[in-house]
Amino acid sequence: MALVQAGAAPVHQNLVAHNDLTVESASFKDSMRHLAGAVSVITVGRGNDRSGFTATSVSSLAIDPPSVIVSLNRESSSWAVLQRHGSFCVNVLAHDQKHIADNFAGRGGIKGVERYRDAEWQELATGTSALVNALTVLDCELDEAVERHSHGILIGRVRAVTLRTEAEPLLYWHGAYRHITAPIVSA
């Protein structure tokens, strides 16, 4: 592992692997269920070569240039489509769009372009489909895909943004969809 400080040469450290510090997959998964997250549908591809997936792991990366990070399993059918087209769209879902989250999660065996049924879509600057009436839409060009373990960390440069200001977000926490009921008021 190389640690780099600005203007300095890499410093190498010897890291010792501790097998007794291995975390069980089930424990890690249960721990991650404690992270409440906005539900997004990530769309990839164009025309009949489209797919997508539901994600709660979308994060802003930078303001200059505007960019986001999304994690995608490389075994997913969306990975190959993303590689072919080089763009993706983050559609942050509103509280009334749970059925879209279920479609893109593949509930009922729904795959590929069939995931787009039961919703209205429009093509944005990159050619990727954007959900009409999503809470917010970020149309992204793939800047880089960093392959780590089973996933690719997608870095997307945002090319267009749309907002729906009158709706609340769809949230996911402890294995279930949630919504905000009331803000916490400080004393």
Side-chain angles (χ1 to χ4, degrees):
M1 171 181 227
L3 302 174
V4 182
Q5 296 176 354
V11 176
H12 295 278
Q13 288 183 334
N14 292 326
L15 300 178
V16 178
H18 297 283
N19 289 335
D20 58 334
L21 295 179
T22 302
V23 173
E24 294 293 325
S25 296
S27 295
F28 178 71
K29 189 175 182 179
D30 286 344
S31 176
M32 292 297 98
R33 287 178 169 225
H34 288 278
L35 297 175
V39 179
S40 297
V41 162
I42 313 302
T43 53
V44 296
R46 294 176 191 90
N48 287 326
D49 188 27
R50 288 186 294 173
S51 192
F53 57 99
T54 300
T56 56
S57 58
V58 176
S59 181
S60 63
L61 174 63
I63 297 288
D64 188 18
S67 51
V68 295
I69 298 173
V70 178
S71 181
L72 171 59
N73 188 323
R74 292 183 291 134
E75 295 294 319
S76 164
S77 60
S78 296
W79 178 255
V81 177
L82 174 73
Q83 298 298 307
R84 286 193 294 276
H85 294 279
S87 59
F88 62 92
C89 189
V90 176
N91 301 275
V92 180
L93 301 184
H95 67 281
D96 55 354
Q97 297 172 324
K98 177 188 169 296
H99 66 287
I100 298 166
D102 285 341
N103 283 356
F104 279 82
R107 302 253 195 295
I110 299 171
K111 296 183 181 195
V113 75
E114 284 297 309
R115 292 181 174 181
Y116 290 79
R117 69 181 190 200
D118 303 327
E120 186 179 348
W121 301 90
Q122 65 183 15
E123 189 175 296
L124 293 182
T126 65
T128 307
S129 297
L131 177 63
V132 173
N133 289 322
L135 187 63
T136 190
V137 171
L138 304 169
D139 189 26
C140 303
E141 285 181 346
L142 181 62
D143 213 15
E144 185 177 0
V146 180
E147 296 183 26
R148 290 292 183 272
H149 311 296
S150 60
H151 282 63
I153 302 164
L154 312 180
I155 299 173
R157 188 171 296 208
V158 179
R159 295 299 184 195
V161 175
T162 60
L163 299 170
R164 175 182 168 194
T165 58
E166 75 284 355
E168 289 192 10
L170 179 63
L171 301 177
Y172 195 75
W173 181 69
H174 267 274
Y177 296 113
R178 312 288 178 143
H179 63 88
I180 297 172
T181 56
I184 297 174
V185 180
S186 35

